[in-house]
Amino acid sequence: MKSTKIVIALLLFASAMTASAASLLNGLALEQQFNKDRYFVAVYSDQLADNTSTLLDSNVSRSLQIRVIEDRLSARRLRNQWMESIAINNPSDTLTGQANNMVTFANLFKGRLMSGDHLSIDYAPDTGVTSVSLNDIMLGMIEDREFFNTLLRAWVGPVPPSTEFRDSLMAAGEVDSGLLATYESLQPGAARVAQVAAMLDEQEAAKETTAVAAAPVAAAKPTLTANIPPPTLAAIGTAAVQKPAVQAAEPAAEEPATARAEPQAAAVAATPSSQPKPLKPTTTRRATPPAEEELEEEEEAPLTADMILARQIYHSMLLRHTFKHIRYPKRAQDRGQEGSVRLNVVIDSRGNVTSVTTVQESRYSSLNREALEAVERAGPYPATPAQLKMEEYRFSVPITFRLPD
């Protein structure tokens, strides 16, 4: 059985590029964290587009592909980062409707991804099926016409990892040749393809054993018990910037020339007269985390639809709370300085900030400093919902400082 699957895997590997050739490369973005290249994200479509409405057309064949650069990349960390972006780029009714699909999708991510790995998510408009494969070995399928767009909005919605990241994916085929050459050079070796096939075979055998031992359980409709308001893009995304001759901010748009700190979708109020709160002394700033933290693969309770919804809604609440405390530094405005900053934040169960790590910096120290201080001013955060059962909660905060045209 195992040898047959390995042979099939090697045959699939030999024709790996054939499947991607059917679609056009719309855009290519590089994900960097702690000044290290981690992976590429590519969007393919049968119809090139420089706007989200066209790219989100469910009648068009499309594909998302992640190619891994790092030697070792935690699949679970990638999944959690993606799910955070899904939470803040989709309306609450979509999150609720896709909760069970998100459980299926999340459970496809196992172990570690390796340099050269291709994670592909392909959408077929004729069937509405989204298929997920690793190095052209099928991991699973989700039969829901809306699911692919739920994933895609994480990268091209109003709150992407950065506006530069989103713009790179919305390039309508105008891709940097240097990045493209590096992207295309990332290929899994035959041994890695065989390894993935063997791991999948072992997982299938384990599932069969579990299925025999377990009694049938009726699928329960997910419910939320936490007192958390549902996330809305309107709530996350709009706030007037108080500075002379400054317009109200619009989600994910180029900002007025004065002070709009846009945590992607969120433009944040910034009043020159407002006084900052004292910085929280418990917060630890680090430019890079210890290597052990990057490589750890902690044990995690089995995901449920209820848990995913609670995490997504709670994450949206934490971002809204942070965005209220961001101010565009006046000196940076006067000098025309713009940039994106991304932070990893850890809070305890009561919402106290215990550490802040800069994942991605802008070129300007004043913007980097303001992002850190905004998180410190925001503490304490809302307490962790009881059903998450976590002593500490980790989340990322993407912030873009953008001046108007």
Side-chain angles (χ1 to χ4, degrees):
M1 179 69 174
K2 288 186 179 180
S3 60
T4 302
K5 283 200 171 185
I6 290 174
V7 170
I8 293 172
L10 293 174
L11 290 173
L12 287 170
F13 172 65
S15 59
M17 300 308 296
T18 304
S20 297
S23 295
L24 303 171
L25 178 59
N26 194 81
L28 180 64
L30 175 63
E31 168 67 6
Q32 295 179 309
Q33 292 187 18
F34 308 108
N35 296 318
K36 292 176 61 178
D37 297 343
R38 304 198 75 195
Y39 53 83
F40 282 106
V41 174
V43 176
Y44 293 86
S45 177
D46 285 342
Q47 180 177 334
L48 294 178
D50 60 2
N51 61 85
T52 54
S53 60
T54 302
L55 199 58
L56 292 170
D57 185 352
S58 296
N59 296 313
V60 176
S61 176
R62 290 157 298 154
S63 176
L64 284 168
Q65 188 165 127
I66 295 174
R67 295 196 183 184
V68 179
I69 301 171
E70 281 194 322
D71 291 337
R72 292 156 64 88
L73 176 67
S74 166
R76 201 193 76 194
R77 284 179 180 271
L78 169 63
R79 175 203 76 188
N80 288 348
Q81 180 187 346
W82 201 341
M83 290 175 68
E84 283 185 348
S85 294
I86 288 168
I88 56 179
N89 284 285
N90 286 278
S92 57
D93 58 344
T94 297
L95 296 178
T96 302
Q98 295 296 331
N100 284 310
N101 288 335
M102 287 304 306
V103 173
T104 302
F105 179 71
N107 287 332
L108 298 177
F109 289 73
K110 305 289 183 181
R112 299 193 188 282
L113 300 173
M114 312 297 286
S115 179
D117 277 351
H118 294 187
L119 180 64
S120 300
I121 298 93
D122 303 302
Y123 172 77
D126 53 341
T127 61
V129 171
T130 297
S131 59
V132 182
S133 60
L134 178 60
N135 298 335
D136 293 287
I137 299 172
M138 182 68 68
L139 300 180
M141 295 188 298
I142 296 171
E143 299 181 14
D144 189 310
R145 296 192 69 86
E146 297 302 316
F147 183 69
F148 184 86
N149 281 351
T150 304
L151 299 180
L152 180 56
R153 286 190 193 99
W155 307 120
V156 302
V159 194
S162 70
T163 52
E164 296 83 1
F165 191 94
R166 177 183 57 209
D167 292 346
S168 295
L169 294 179
M170 303 299 302
E174 298 294 326
V175 176
D176 179 88
S177 59
L179 285 181
L180 180 60
T182 304
Y183 168 78
E184 291 180 338
S185 71
L186 293 167
Q187 301 292 338
R192 172 59 177 166
V193 176
Q195 181 186 36
V196 171
M199 287 190 299
L200 185 61
D201 191 44
E202 291 174 2
Q203 291 170 13
E204 289 298 323
K207 286 180 183 178
E208 291 174 5
T209 302
T210 303
V212 170
V217 179
K221 185 177 180 180
T223 58
L224 279 178
T225 56
N227 184 23
I228 305 173
T232 63
L233 292 181
I236 298 174
T238 58
V241 178
Q242 298 177 5
K243 192 173 191 264
V246 178
Q247 304 171 3
E250 291 296 328
E254 298 299 314
E255 308 241 336
T258 42
R260 177 174 159 194
E262 178 197 61
Q264 275 39 36
V268 183
T271 59
S273 60
S274 59
Q275 295 297 319
K277 298 178 184 177
L279 300 185
K280 302 293 184 271
T282 55
T283 300
T284 301
R285 304 185 189 186
R286 294 199 305 262
T288 58
E292 294 80 9
E293 184 178 69
E294 273 297 279
L295 295 176
E296 70 180 350
E297 189 70 27
E298 307 154 348
E299 291 298 321
E300 183 179 57
L303 288 173
T304 64
D306 182 70
M307 183 181 294
I308 284 178
L309 278 171
R311 290 185 67 160
Q312 290 177 324
I313 292 174
Y314 183 51
H315 181 70
S316 295
M317 173 187 285
L318 295 177
L319 288 191
R320 289 198 299 271
H321 184 79
T322 306
F323 294 165
K324 292 186 297 184
H325 295 84
I326 301 172
R327 303 162 187 152
Y328 208 136
K330 184 177 185 303
R331 190 170 184 179
Q333 297 175 48
D334 294 341
R335 294 183 175 186
Q337 295 174 348
E338 300 178 324
S340 294
V341 184
R342 189 153 20 122
L343 307 174
N344 281 348
V345 182
V346 181
I347 58 177
D348 63 23
S349 60
R350 292 172 295 179
N352 297 311
V353 178
T354 60
S355 72
V356 185
T357 305
T358 303
V359 177
Q360 193 173 55
E361 292 185 326
S362 75
R363 294 183 298 163
Y364 303 105
S365 60
S366 63
L367 302 183
N368 301 329
R369 183 169 56 251
E370 168 57 26
L372 286 164
E373 292 178 356
V375 170
E376 294 171 328
R377 287 193 297 267
Y381 282 82
T384 307
Q387 74 263 42
L388 293 183
K389 299 177 181 178
M390 292 180 174
E391 291 300 319
E392 64 176 20
Y393 189 86
R394 301 169 183 264
F395 64 101
S396 60
V397 181
I399 303 169
T400 291
F401 296 91
R402 183 62 59 90
L403 297 171
D405 290 334

